[in-house]
Amino acid sequence: MTDRPDTARPDALRRETIAAHANGQHDAATGGVVGAWQPSTTFVRDAAYRTPASGDVYRRPHSPTTREAEAVIAALEGAEDAALFASGLAAMAALMRAAGGPRVAVQRGSYYGTQVLGERLADGAPITFDGASLESLAETVATRRPALVIIETPSNPFLDVIDIAEAARIAHAAGALLAVDSTTATPIHTRPLEHGADIVVHSATKALNGHSDVLAGALVPGHGGRVLFDAALDTRAKEGCVLSPFDAWLLTRGMRTVALRVREASRNALHLAQWLAAHPKVTTVRYPGLPTHPGHAVAAAQMDGGFGGLLSFDVAGGADAALGLAGRLRLIARATSLGGVETLIEHRHSIEPAATDMPPGLLRLAVGIEAVEDLVADLDQALAEVP
Ligand SMILES: *Cc1c(COP(=O)(O)O)cnc(C)c1O
């Protein structure tokens, strides 16, 4: 058993402190500074057939180790609660189904898996809007009347930025709730609930864990999102999309350094974005930290202390030039995912079907925490040979 921290006053401590202390958790049974990993699938009742004081019965609905990681995420988001799922998409699917699948509006150009889920649950008539446009969102909610709007800012891989407070106003005026996939921003840079969102979604696989060794997803409710959250929790308990406690334990460990990692990755990403923008072989750089990015002012206002570790850039010469560049990299690994300590590059055009219109020359860089000079040197030698 570990202490359940007080999340009623989440602003009492700053995010760096909450993360470093895993929200004040110790192992009460042994005095261990670090919480214990509790793998039991089932929990003993006493002679009068009462459950333990924790109320835990069976691991599908009840995992003490998972609750500890959830408490850290809740505190980081300034929320009262959080729920972890087996992956980011498991969390997203539980949320969409809680809202009634066909009644969910999904942002075009957002994370590909989210768009696919939206289509699958939509009975053939998905509700979508343009990710960079509040006008498109307003028109969509007025005509299609969704129950839930899901935005992603900055979006993956286009780095579209959308004003959370304005999106919430538009959704609420039409009787819809607003969910924000905040995977790329992380609670270190943005707390969407403070901007009026009703529920936050994370792929904790990414920067929250930060070490490319855990698959996990989270939902974090504000007051407006409570009913959806409870329905998603019911899905988790009844349908079993649960996180393993060992992964929850690793996640808590990973999150101890999330503030340091995210800030450093954001600093590296800004440096690389500026360097790439000045390179003659690069045609476009998408990064909200650049003053030339159309969402820069909104990002600067709603992101705190950085613009995240994700950026995309385009090289002239299409898929061949982009794949050739990626192939020449010696340090930066060619792999999907983002938010890890190591920098990864991804050619989305090779991954997504043609229907998504992914630009063939686009390369997505998931920036890590290396010395930025080493990243520049690697990109420099690979770009030099772009025809
Ligand atoms: C990776 C990702 C997801 C999906 O998360 P998984 O943990 O891979 O299931 C959802 N949204 C965004 C923005 C992501 O980057």
Side-chain angles (χ1 to χ4, degrees):
M1 287 289 298
T2 51
D3 299 332
R4 186 71 199 246
D6 176 21
T7 52
R9 288 170 45 246
D11 288 322
L13 293 173
R14 286 164 185 77
R15 283 166 267 196
E16 297 83 344
T17 314
I18 292 165
H21 284 246
N23 202 32
Q25 293 164 7
H26 303 298
D27 184 16
T30 63
V33 169
V34 173
W37 168 44
Q38 175 46 264
S40 289
T41 52
T42 187
F43 299 84
V44 177
R45 292 172 181 268
D46 70 10
Y49 218 68
R50 284 182 302 241
T51 63
S54 63
D56 293 339
V57 173
Y58 186 64
R59 200 217 279 160
R60 187 166 5 81
H62 308 133
S63 163
T65 312
T66 301
R67 281 201 296 276
E68 290 171 8
E70 288 168 342
V72 177
I73 294 172
L76 287 174
E77 288 286 3
E80 285 171 12
D81 221 337
L84 280 163
F85 292 76
S87 69
L89 279 181
M92 189 64 92
L95 172 66
M96 286 189 187
R97 288 171 58 205
R103 301 194 59 217
V104 178
V106 173
Q107 178 177 320
R108 287 193 292 276
S110 63
Y111 177 70
Y112 179 55
T114 302
Q115 297 188 74
V116 170
L117 256 183
E119 279 164 27
R120 284 191 177 199
L121 297 177
D123 289 344
I127 310 176
T128 64
F129 57 93
D130 175 359
S133 163
L134 289 168
E135 292 71 31
S136 167
L137 174 61
E139 194 185 306
T140 297
V141 296
T143 53
R144 300 291 305 275
R145 294 270 155 196
L148 175 70
V149 171
I150 304 178
I151 62 170
E152 185 181 298
T153 182
S155 70
N156 168 14
F158 290 112
L159 285 304
D160 287 335
V161 169
I162 191 161
D163 186 322
I164 298 170
E166 281 298 306
R169 201 183 48 71
I170 291 166
H172 293 162
L177 295 174
L178 181 74
V180 178
D181 183 334
S182 197
T183 299
T184 58
T186 81
I188 303 307
H189 290 323
T190 308
R191 283 172 152 178
L193 300 178
E194 291 176 356
H195 299 274
D198 298 297
I199 194 160
V200 182
V201 189
H202 281 290
S203 170
T205 310
K206 314 293 170 55
L208 278 175
N209 180 60
H211 295 77
S212 306
D213 53 10
V214 167
L215 197 68
L219 296 179
V220 188
H223 296 297
R226 191 75 223 182
V227 172
L228 283 182
F229 179 78
D230 288 344
L233 266 186
D234 187 61
T235 296
R236 185 180 74 167
K238 304 283 176 10
E239 301 185 16
C241 43
V242 296
L243 192 62
S244 99
F246 185 58
D247 284 350
W249 186 85
L250 280 174
L251 175 58
T252 297
R253 176 188 165 116
M255 287 191 293
R256 287 182 183 265
T257 54
V258 65
L260 273 179
R261 287 186 285 98
V262 165
R263 290 231 184 81
E264 191 61 20
S266 291
R267 210 187 341 262
N268 279 351
L270 179 60
H271 185 103
L272 289 178
Q274 288 164 340
W275 183 84
L276 287 164
H279 197 286
K281 305 274 177 69
V282 174
T283 55
T284 317
V285 179
R286 302 163 207 256
Y287 188 64
L290 295 178
T292 49
H293 187 284
H296 176 68
V298 170
Q302 78 188 8
M303 299 183 80
D304 176 16
F307 297 91
L310 192 69
L311 68 92
S312 294
F313 65 99
D314 297 53
V315 287
D320 287 348
L323 284 168
L325 187 165
R328 286 189 294 277
L329 291 167
R330 297 169 190 151
L331 174 67
I332 297 170
R334 291 166 291 278
T336 195
S337 202
L338 58 117
V341 291
E342 66 288 298
T343 300
L344 305 176
I345 197 160
E346 162 105 314
H347 186 240
R348 293 294 310 171
H349 183 78
S350 297
I351 307 287
E352 298 188 17
T356 67
D357 289 331
M358 184 59 58
L362 183 145
L363 288 163
R364 185 186 75 186
L365 213 48
V367 181
I369 64 168
E370 302 93 333
V372 74
E373 296 84 349
D374 292 335
L375 299 173
V376 167
D378 197 26
L379 286 165
D380 199 28
Q381 60 83 19
L383 271 163
E385 285 177 50
V386 170

